């Protein structure tokens, strides 16, 4: 066989990386293949994929909560804007609302969605931080068996208020930063859309993506505080309150601690919010 040194194959090291990437991307397919080959309970490829994803990815809980939380956010935002400007969504093309109105409506939506998000977000963070392998023989079982069990445990051990641990930090994180979110979105849409016209899908995607980044960049310091407060219920010597958490984190780890996760938050924010705004605009066109 001739040596594989054509430009396409690249250097051995990059080939190795490409192979590793390929393996990561291919692993889900491989899992489905192995299950189909060895178990008879699946109807076919799709059935196996859907069942594996639904039961094992841990995604059904975030999917259910994001549906509730986003409808509260976007519902409150558009109603607040309607109340403030007394113009409907269609009329707003001809008479665009002021940025102050957009900001206030965004903050209102942010405040109310934070209240609904708090218990979901707490459960999500607790489950995400659970690193014990699921059912290791002989090892200690994981503390929480799933979202419902986690909620029940928190209720039993910490009372109903336990479900709202970190909720103040969450509200402070989301109220102003969702104002920034909608202002950035509106501003970018207006920059790239001729007056009186509806923004194109490409504009909506880009404006939504950058709105997500702007919002997450400003939200990250309080995001760190929020997540630490949510986890604190599990330990002895937990924080006295938000201020205590801020001061102790800064003293022990330096100010850089408040920017942890900034890059990953921003990288996640672009695609998530591009798609969120595109669906929002399409749903409004279809229903309003
Ligand atoms: C305010 N804060 C930055 C926290 C969120 C803003 C964007 C919300 C969106 N559902 C997302 O998950 O990206």
């Amino acid at each position: 066989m001739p040596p594989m040194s054509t430009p396409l194959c690249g250097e051995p090291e990059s080939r190795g990386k490409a192979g590793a990437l390929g393996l990561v991307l291919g692993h889900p397919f491989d899992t489905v293949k192995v299950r189909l080959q060895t178990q008879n309970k699946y109807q076919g490829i799709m059935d196996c994929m859907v069942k594996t994803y639904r039961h094992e990815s841990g995604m059904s809980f975030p999917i259910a909560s994001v549906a509730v939380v986003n409808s509260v956010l976007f519902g409150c935002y558009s109603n607040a804007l309607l109340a403030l400007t007394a113009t409907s969504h269609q009329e707003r093309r001809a008479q665009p609302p002021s940025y102050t109105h957009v900001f206030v409506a965004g903050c209102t939506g942010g405040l109310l969605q934070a209240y609904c998000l708090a218990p979901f977000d707490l459960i999500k963070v607790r489950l995400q931080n659970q690193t014990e392998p699921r059912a290791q023989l002989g090892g200690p079982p994981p503390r929480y068996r799933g979202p419902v069990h986690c909620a029940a445990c928190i209720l039993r051990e910490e009372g109903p208020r336990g479900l709202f641990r970190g909720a103040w930090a969450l509200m402070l994180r989301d109220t102003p930063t969702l104002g920034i979110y909608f202002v950035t979105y509106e501003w970018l849409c207006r920059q790239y859309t001729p007056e009186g016209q509806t923004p194109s899908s490409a504009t909506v995607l880009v404006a939504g993506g950058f709105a997500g980044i702007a919002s997450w960049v400003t939200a990250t310091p309080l995001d760190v505080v929020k997540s630490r407060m949510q986890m604190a219920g599990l330990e002895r010597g937990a924080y006295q309150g938000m201020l205590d958490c801020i001061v102790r984190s800064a003293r022990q780890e330096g100010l850089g601690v408040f920017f942890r996760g900034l890059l990953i938050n921003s990288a996640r924010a672009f695609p998530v919010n591009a798609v969120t705004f595109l669906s929002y605009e399409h749903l409004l066109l279809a229903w309003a």
Side-chain angles (χ1 to χ4, degrees), residues 158-175:
E158 302 170 50
R161 290 194 57 188
L163 278 178
F164 284 85
R165 196 174 286 280
W168 278 114
L170 186 70
M171 275 185 199
L172 282 181
R173 182 197 77 173
D174 281 9
T175 306

Side-chain angles (χ1 to χ4, degrees), residues 218-251:
T218 44
T220 298
L222 276 171
D223 191 44
V224 173
V225 177
K226 182 250 359 156
S227 302
R228 290 183 167 212
M229 306 268 317
Q230 287 174 325
M231 288 308 292
L234 295 181
E235 304 147 15
R236 294 266 152 260
Y239 305 116
Q240 306 285 297
M242 217 160 54
L243 206 65
D244 184 39
C245 173
I246 296 177
V247 172
R248 274 166 54 185
S249 303
R251 267 208 202 123

Side-chain angles (χ1 to χ4, degrees), residues 70 173-174 177-178 181 215-216 219 268 272-273:
N70 267 349
R173 182 197 77 173
D174 281 9
T177 54
L178 280 162
Y181 182 64
S215 178
W216 272 110
R268 171 191 166 279
V272 168
N273 293 287

Side-chain angles (χ1 to χ4, degrees), residues 17-257:
K17 279 186 191 146
L21 181 66
L23 185 88
V24 169
L25 297 178
H27 190 68
F29 295 95
D30 194 57
T31 307
V32 168
K33 178 205 73 176
V34 169
R35 290 190 176 182
L36 282 173
Q37 287 174 333
T38 56
Q39 299 182 30
N40 291 329
K41 62 181 179 198
Y42 303 112
Q43 238 100 76
I45 297 178
M46 269 322 270
D47 184 48
C48 180
M49 278 189 176
V50 169
K51 284 194 181 135
T52 305
Y53 185 73
R54 201 179 281 157
H55 300 314
E56 292 167 57
S57 70
M59 280 291 286
S60 39
F61 178 68
I63 289 176
S65 63
V66 89
V68 178
V69 170
N70 267 349
S71 33
V72 172
L73 171 63
F74 283 88
C76 292
Y77 168 72
S78 16
N79 281 305
L81 206 54
L82 186 71
L84 287 166
T85 61
T87 47
S88 72
H89 186 67
Q90 268 94 6
E91 292 165 333
R92 255 179 251 141
R93 292 278 159 249
Q95 292 162 264
S98 73
Y99 288 120
T100 314
H101 282 160
V102 172
F103 183 74
V104 174
C107 291
T108 314
L111 182 71
L112 296 172
Q113 71 99 42
Y115 190 73
C116 305
L117 177 65
F120 288 118
D121 194 63
L122 173 75
I123 293 169
K124 186 200 71 147
V125 166
R126 292 269 175 102
L127 290 176
Q128 283 173 325
N129 260 337
Q130 184 165 269
T131 44
E132 296 91 347
R134 271 181 186 233
Q136 207 182 45
L137 268 176
R143 184 183 189 110
Y144 304 125
R145 289 198 289 270
V148 179
H149 181 243
C150 178
C153 287
I154 297 176
L155 268 178
R156 187 164 10 92
E157 291 158 16
E158 302 170 50
R161 290 194 57 188
L163 278 178
F164 284 85
R165 196 174 286 280
W168 278 114
L170 186 70
M171 275 185 199
L172 282 181
R173 182 197 77 173
D174 281 9
T175 306
T177 54
L178 280 162
I180 294 174
Y181 182 64
F182 287 103
V183 168
T184 312
Y185 175 72
E186 271 297 315
W187 182 75
L188 284 173
C189 278
R190 286 183 207 175
Q191 296 303 304
Y192 298 105
T193 313
E195 246 181 70
Q197 280 184 26
T198 317
S200 70
S201 296
T203 306
V204 169
L205 282 172
V206 173
F210 280 112
I213 292 186
S215 178
W216 272 110
V217 165
T218 44
T220 298
L222 276 171
D223 191 44
V224 173
V225 177
K226 182 250 359 156
S227 302
R228 290 183 167 212
M229 306 268 317
Q230 287 174 325
M231 288 308 292
L234 295 181
E235 304 147 15
R236 294 266 152 260
Y239 305 116
Q240 306 285 297
M242 217 160 54
L243 206 65
D244 184 39
C245 173
I246 296 177
V247 172
R248 274 166 54 185
S249 303
R251 267 208 202 123
Q252 285 160 13
E253 293 156 82
L255 286 177
V257 69

